[in-house]
Amino acid sequence: MANLVAIVGRPNVGKSTLFNRMTQSRRAIVSDVAGTTRDRQYGKCSWNGKEFSVVDTGGWVVKSDDIFEDAIRQQVKVATEEADLVLFLVDVETGVTDWDEDVAMILRRAKLPVILVANKVDNSGNAYEAAEFYRLGLGDPVCISAATGGGTGDLLDLILTKLPNNVDEAPEENIPRFAVVGRPNAGKSSLINAFIGEERNIVTDIAGTTRDSIYTRYTKFGFDFYLVDTAGIRRKNKVSEDLEFYSVMRSIRAIENSDVCILMIDATRGIEAQDMNIFQLIQKNNKSLVVVVNKWDLVQDKSQKAIDTFKNAIHNRMAPFVDFPIIFASALTKQRIFKVLETAKQVYLNRETRIGTTKLNEVMLPIIEQTPPPSTKGKYIKIKYCSQLPNTQIPSFVFYANLPQYIKEPYRRFLENKIRENWSMHGCPINVFIRQK
């Protein structure tokens, strides 16, 4: 399971800027106005061959009237409960504030590593000012400038030394994990209860009942696997209590640690923006996917035309990746629930598809000859050979071309679609690489 690093600190100390720097993105909105970050920023950071997840907690402060006190305290407490490491960001220009001392007191009691990061150290003179942060009792402050990148390499080196070795929650490594994910109240716990025939998970009509990810060992169709019930990932403007933040952080980890994600969609509400957020999280982590349209028993029109309309709506929202199974089910009446497991099993096995090099070239080269990559700048691009890479987590194919730099994303997708047409990769992500022959 990927380690989780949480960035905490009061507003406007540069949390979003540091997040963007670590994840090499510009997803967090950066502004001089305190409390700008309203969205939950989640990303991956790679450094020296190691990868970990980063959460910028700025967006967890929801009520603007208590943005400076209770809300920050809550977000820090939650971060210390769930993260593997906390980066406590302070501002050398402002110096130590009462809020910094409050946060430091919570962090000193926490039983996990904390790195004190003094931000906005843009010159050597500022570095001396960082000495006053020793009084927070959290060890040596690491001086950085998130805006210019100064000192961030040393900070990342230090993070790697303090991160614990990954320890999986599920005890057996070779058993596949199916994570049941979706918005709160989409029926995730009901589905797992229907599978195992007992009220293992508390089910209520109140959204957000499940506070933790629960692993359940299960055997069906001669197949042994774990079912993971995740806390409902809630839309950002609905998260107001600290436990919700905890739920979302744990759900992120469950998706990262799964092999197949079963995405639950509420048939009575249709596909919403929050479903898309979860889908993107699944895609970002290269996980196999089964979409379950739950509560189908409550829908009046169950005709084939209604089913096709619903499927088209899902495919249109999730394009360009549309090669995944969609099952219309009801956890309450147990309609088609075992079809869900059977499909998840098949999707998992599809990840292990291996295609011989000879067969791959026999099928793909005539297709490429018939529809070659479009010429760029008067240069003709030729693909002479292709093969599947061995020992990869998801099926990965490499095509050798004379001018790989001129092959654009649409043609890469064309190659992926042709592979999918000829071999069963249903529900499974694929990598397509173009290399110099």
Side-chain angles (χ1 to χ4, degrees):
M1 183 186 287
N3 288 123
L4 194 59
V5 174
I7 305 173
V8 304
R10 54 193 177 75
N12 214 25
V13 291
K15 295 190 295 296
S16 297
T17 310
L18 180 60
F19 172 86
N20 288 347
R21 176 76 54 188
M22 289 172 73
T23 57
Q24 296 183 321
S25 68
R26 289 190 179 179
R27 288 183 18 246
I29 300 161
V30 178
S31 155
D32 290 338
V33 181
T36 303
T37 307
R38 280 280 177 275
D39 206 353
R40 259 147 239 84
Q41 292 298 337
Y42 157 82
K44 299 259 183 161
C45 175
S46 292
W47 186 253
N48 284 347
K50 291 190 179 174
E51 191 176 64
F52 54 89
S53 302
V54 187
V55 175
D56 167 15
T57 61
W60 301 95
V61 181
V62 180
K63 299 171 188 162
S64 55
D65 52 348
D66 57 52
I67 190 167
F68 289 116
E69 297 204 15
D70 291 344
I72 288 182
R73 243 179 248 124
Q74 279 186 335
Q75 101 188 0
V76 172
K77 279 179 184 164
V78 174
T80 56
E81 278 177 27
E82 189 52 27
D84 297 303
L85 171 72
V86 170
L87 300 183
F88 176 27
L89 212 57
V90 290
D91 180 349
V92 291
E93 290 176 0
T94 319
V96 177
T97 66
D98 293 346
W99 302 310
D100 291 332
E101 289 182 339
D102 271 5
V103 171
M105 191 167 67
I106 297 166
L107 294 176
R108 283 198 303 270
R109 291 174 184 157
K111 294 176 181 172
L112 86 164
V114 176
I115 298 176
L116 179 62
V117 183
N119 190 26
K120 305 185 187 177
V121 180
D122 298 315
N123 56 57
S124 54
N126 285 24
Y128 293 114
E129 293 166 27
E132 70 167 308
F133 292 106
Y134 277 103
R135 76 183 217 222
L136 296 175
L138 291 168
D140 299 339
V142 179
C143 295
I144 68 158
S145 169
T148 64
T152 49
D154 293 340
L155 173 62
L156 287 166
D157 287 340
L158 184 60
I159 287 170
L160 294 189
T161 64
K162 287 190 176 277
L163 280 177
N165 290 328
N166 288 359
V167 178
D168 271 335
E169 290 181 30
E172 294 195 38
E173 194 54 52
N174 298 327
I175 295 180
R177 291 143 199 186
F178 300 161
V180 184
V181 296
R183 279 176 301 145
N185 217 23
K188 300 182 294 297
S189 296
S190 302
L191 181 73
I192 290 182
N193 288 344
F195 288 151
I196 60 181
E198 58 181 83
E199 295 294 305
R200 161 78 185 268
N201 304 335
I202 304 161
V203 178
T204 67
D205 289 334
I206 304 157
T209 307
T210 309
R211 295 299 191 197
D212 206 347
S213 302
I214 302 165
Y215 281 86
T216 307
R217 182 77 173 270
Y218 200 74
T219 306
K220 193 75 185 169
F221 315 113
F223 195 61
D224 206 13
F225 52 90
Y226 281 103
L227 274 172
V228 190
D229 177 24
T230 59
I233 304 175
R234 184 167 295 202
R235 198 185 291 115
K236 60 177 176 285
N237 58 3
K238 295 282 180 71
V239 179
S240 59
E241 59 183 75
D242 55 349
L243 282 171
E244 293 296 350
F245 177 28
Y246 177 85
S247 298
V248 178
M249 287 177 84
R250 183 53 69 94
S251 297
I252 287 169
R253 303 188 107 177
I255 288 172
E256 286 182 339
N257 199 37
S258 67
D259 297 304
V260 179
C261 290
I262 299 170
L263 173 56
M264 305 281 286
I265 292 174
D266 188 334
T268 61
R269 293 171 63 177
I271 184 162
E272 296 185 340
Q274 187 63 1
D275 298 313
M276 288 306 300
N277 291 342
I278 300 165
F279 170 71
Q280 282 157 11
L281 199 58
I282 292 166
Q283 264 208 314
K284 195 183 292 179
N285 283 284
N286 277 331
K287 300 302 177 186
S288 300
L289 174 68
V290 176
V291 172
V292 177
V293 181
N294 190 31
K295 306 184 185 179
W296 193 240
D297 55 313
L298 302 178
V299 175
Q300 298 297 320
D301 183 6
K302 297 186 178 69
S303 65
Q304 189 59 44
K305 189 180 176 186
I307 290 172
D308 291 343
T309 304
F310 211 119
K311 278 185 176 177
N312 288 337
I314 292 171
H315 282 147
N316 288 342
R317 291 292 296 276
M318 295 184 177
F321 178 46
V322 294
D323 186 25
F324 52 82
I326 302 172
I327 299 164
F328 294 81
S330 166
L332 199 64
T333 65
K334 301 194 177 182
Q335 177 189 17
R336 280 191 282 276
I337 62 161
F338 291 109
K339 175 82 174 161
V340 173
L341 282 187
E342 209 173 0
T343 308
K345 174 194 171 183
Q346 190 53 54
V347 164
Y348 174 76
L349 294 175
N350 287 351
R351 288 162 61 107
E352 297 176 356
T353 302
R354 292 288 172 264
I355 304 163
T357 303
T358 309
K359 185 70 183 165
L360 189 65
N361 282 276
E362 270 175 18
V363 173
M364 293 302 293
L365 291 185
I367 293 169
I368 292 164
E369 207 171 317
Q370 207 173 359
T371 315
S375 60
T376 307
K377 298 179 182 176
K379 291 181 164 57
Y380 290 100
I381 303 158
K382 294 191 180 80
I383 294 174
K384 289 286 186 189
Y385 175 74
C386 54
S387 68
Q388 183 175 0
L389 296 172
N391 307 322
T392 53
Q393 236 183 352
I394 60 171
S396 301
F397 300 88
V398 60
F399 289 79
Y400 294 95
N402 59 338
L403 297 162
Q405 67 272 27
Y406 292 140
I407 295 180
K408 302 285 185 285
E409 191 56 39
Y411 195 77
R412 204 187 297 264
R413 276 208 295 274
F414 165 77
L415 294 174
E416 180 183 325
N417 291 337
K418 290 301 172 188
I419 292 169
R420 289 184 183 282
E421 279 174 26
N422 287 282
W423 292 278
S424 178
M425 302 278 180
H426 204 37
C428 173
I430 292 180
N431 282 331
V432 173
F433 303 106
I434 315 291
R435 296 273 185 270
Q436 185 78 39
K437 68 173 183 177

